[in-house]
């Protein structure tokens, strides 16, 4: 009715204003829907949910694989993802990669390490296992490996390194264990040599000093404890020979010629010179032959006398030291810096 006019917002608007209003309303509805979708609990794509689930499951698998292989956590995670969580396949792959890493590191100088000892069936062995740093030489994993190597050496015949590395250890070969340790620790690790003495007819004993010097002593009669006492003497005094009979004739003649030359110009008669030379030669032999040396533990008798008092006779000894004969690389830090600065 004309007496009750419509409110102003009911008054028809021009067409272009209707279009603007509709556009604004559509935009507001679209924005509201987008925000609701973004904050909805099930808004993440299926692939994201699957990845989160895989990570949760893989934690236990990573732990299992790590314990089985000793590889790093990230290496385990990567290979598990690559093989869809198959721990066995992942372990095989890590082993292959470990072998590759071991081959790469084999050219690096390994002059540190330790001497490990083991005995079996009347035989005693020393095994030198090398690594690159003294820090790794104290590592428990390295120590355990060296002990296993010594045990395997004591159980086999001979001292061939190739045969030793093929020996069975923990369900695989000793070489497999070495390669796995290289992969885990990241240093070149080598079983360098084996020293063995003894049989069912002789008595043997050993002494390892600070894990770096190892001595085997073999005697007739006596006890293993006596062998160990003599081995301690050998470790300290480092004699060149066991008895005078062990000295090569060429070495005796060389020393005799050297001593003769020393006193040739003394002006003394030849027979006196000859006695002087023989006296000094006997002193040389006494100082360098084990049985003639003063026993270092008591300093009141010779080693030969000690053996005699205990009803024993010297057969021989073997002394080895970590890294002896290996040429160590001397790092020139200044040269390295200069080379880097020059872009080499």
């Amino acid at each position: 009715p004309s007496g009750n006019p419509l409110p102003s917002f009911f008054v028809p608007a021009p067409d272009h204003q209707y279009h603007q209003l509709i556009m604004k309303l559509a935009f507001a509805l679209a924005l509201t829907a987008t925000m609701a979708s973004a904050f909805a609990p099930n808004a993440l794509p299926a692939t994201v949910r699957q990845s989160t689930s895989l990570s949760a499951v893989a934690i236990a698998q990573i732990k299992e694989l790590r314990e089985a292989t000793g590889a790093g956590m990230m290496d385990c995670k990567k290979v598990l993802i690559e093989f869809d969580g198959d721990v066995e396949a992942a372990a095989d792959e890590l082993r292959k990669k470990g072998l590759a890493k071991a081959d790469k590191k084999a050219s690096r100088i390994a002059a540190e390490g330790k001497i490990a000892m083991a005995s079996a069936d009347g035989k005693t062995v020393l095994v030198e296992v090398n690594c690159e740093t003294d820090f790794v030489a104290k590592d428990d994993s390295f120590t355990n490996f060296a002990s296993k190597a010594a045990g395997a050496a004591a159980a086999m015949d001979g001292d061939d390194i190739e045969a030793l590395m093929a020996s069975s250890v923990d369900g695989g070969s000793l070489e497999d264990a070495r390669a796995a340790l290289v992969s885990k620790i990241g240093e070149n690790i080598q079983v360098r040599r084996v020293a063995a003495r003894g049989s069912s007819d002789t008595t043997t004993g050993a002494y390892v000093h600070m894990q770096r010097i190892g001595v085997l002593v073999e005697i007739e009669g006596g006890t293993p404890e006596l062998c160990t006492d003599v081995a301690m003497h050998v470790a300290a005094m480092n004699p060149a020979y066991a008895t005078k009979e062990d000295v090569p004739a060429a070495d005796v003649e060389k020393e005799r010629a050297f001593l003769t030359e020393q006193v040739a110009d003394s002006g003394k008669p030849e027979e006196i010179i000859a006695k002087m030379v023989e006296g000094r030669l006997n002193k040389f032999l006494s100082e360098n032959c084990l049985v003639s040396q003063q026993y270092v533990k008591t300093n009141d008798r010779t080693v030969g006398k000690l053996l005699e008092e205990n009803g024993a006779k010297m057969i021989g000894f073997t002394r080895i030291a970590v890294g002896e004969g290996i040429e160590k690389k001397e790092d020139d830090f200044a040269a390295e810096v200069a080379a880097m600065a020059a872009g080499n």
Side-chain angles (χ1 to χ4, degrees):
S2 58
N4 188 19
L6 293 172
S8 60
F9 55 81
F10 281 106
V11 177
D15 289 344
H16 70 277
Q17 291 183 355
Y18 278 120
H19 289 304
Q20 290 178 356
L21 182 61
I22 291 171
M23 291 292 291
K24 289 179 180 179
L25 182 59
F27 177 76
L29 290 172
L31 181 61
T32 301
T34 301
M35 293 177 66
S37 175
F39 288 99
N42 297 322
L44 291 177
T47 54
V48 175
R49 289 198 302 272
Q50 182 180 0
S51 175
T52 303
S53 176
L54 176 61
S55 297
V57 172
I59 293 174
Q61 294 172 319
I62 291 172
K63 183 175 183 294
E64 180 184 351
L65 184 60
R66 228 185 141 196
E67 290 175 351
T69 64
M73 182 179 293
M74 291 307 298
D75 288 335
C76 290
K77 182 177 179 180
K78 288 178 182 177
V79 77
L80 277 169
I81 292 174
E82 181 181 350
F83 286 89
D84 297 326
D86 188 331
V87 175
E88 186 175 345
D92 289 341
E93 180 66 13
L94 283 174
R95 182 181 172 192
K96 292 176 185 177
K97 291 181 178 180
L99 289 170
K101 289 179 182 178
D103 290 341
K104 284 183 179 180
K105 291 177 173 64
S107 61
R108 298 189 340 207
I109 296 173
E112 297 295 334
K114 68 177 300 179
I115 305 292
M117 174 186 69
S119 298
D121 300 325
K123 179 177 70 172
T124 304
V125 301
L126 298 174
V127 176
E128 179 184 355
V129 184
N130 297 126
C131 56
E132 297 177 45
T133 64
D134 58 354
F135 178 79
V136 166
K138 299 172 185 176
D139 180 80
D140 288 342
S141 298
F142 181 84
T143 298
N144 290 337
F145 172 75
S147 297
K148 291 176 182 177
M156 75 175 197
D157 294 327
D159 56 5
D160 182 67
I161 291 295
E162 187 174 344
L164 173 60
M165 299 312 293
S167 299
S168 178
V169 173
D170 295 338
S173 69
L174 186 62
E175 173 59 25
D176 291 338
R178 184 198 69 84
L181 188 60
V182 170
S183 178
K184 178 182 178 181
I185 291 180
E187 285 196 6
N188 182 18
I189 295 170
Q190 297 292 331
V191 179
R192 183 185 180 201
R193 54 181 166 171
V194 176
R197 278 190 174 274
S199 68
S200 58
D201 300 323
T202 62
T203 305
T204 59
Y207 171 70
V208 177
H209 182 71
M210 302 293 288
Q211 300 184 346
R212 296 189 61 83
I213 297 174
V215 180
L216 294 174
V217 169
E218 184 178 11
I219 59 177
E220 291 180 5
T223 64
E225 291 75 20
L226 177 61
C227 289
T228 300
D229 285 340
V230 175
M232 291 176 67
H233 173 97
V234 174
M237 303 306 294
N238 194 18
Y241 316 99
T243 67
K244 291 181 180 180
E245 291 73 26
D246 294 327
V247 184
D251 288 359
V252 174
E253 290 306 314
K254 181 180 179 180
E255 186 65 21
R256 181 179 281 114
F258 173 74
L259 294 171
T260 301
E261 187 177 344
Q262 277 189 329
V263 297
D265 298 331
S266 64
K268 292 180 171 41
E270 288 186 9
E271 61 272 16
I272 300 298
I273 289 178
K275 289 182 179 180
M276 291 173 62
V277 169
E278 290 305 311
R280 294 184 182 184
L281 183 60
N282 286 331
K283 182 181 179 182
F284 166 80
L285 293 174
S286 296
E287 291 175 347
N288 288 278
C289 293
L290 171 60
V291 295
S292 302
Q293 292 181 336
Q294 285 292 109
Y295 179 47
V296 71
K297 201 170 182 180
T298 61
N299 206 34
D300 61 356
R301 73 197 86 172
T302 64
V303 173
K305 186 65 174 176
L306 174 68
L307 293 172
E308 183 182 335
E309 291 173 353
N310 287 275
K313 182 181 178 181
M314 174 59 60
I315 294 177
F317 71 87
T318 303
R319 184 184 190 274
I320 62 175
V322 169
E324 61 184 352
I326 299 177
E327 184 177 351
K328 296 184 180 181
K329 178 183 177 182
E330 297 293 336
D331 294 326
D332 189 339
F333 182 70
E336 289 182 9
V337 173
M340 290 174 64
N344 296 332

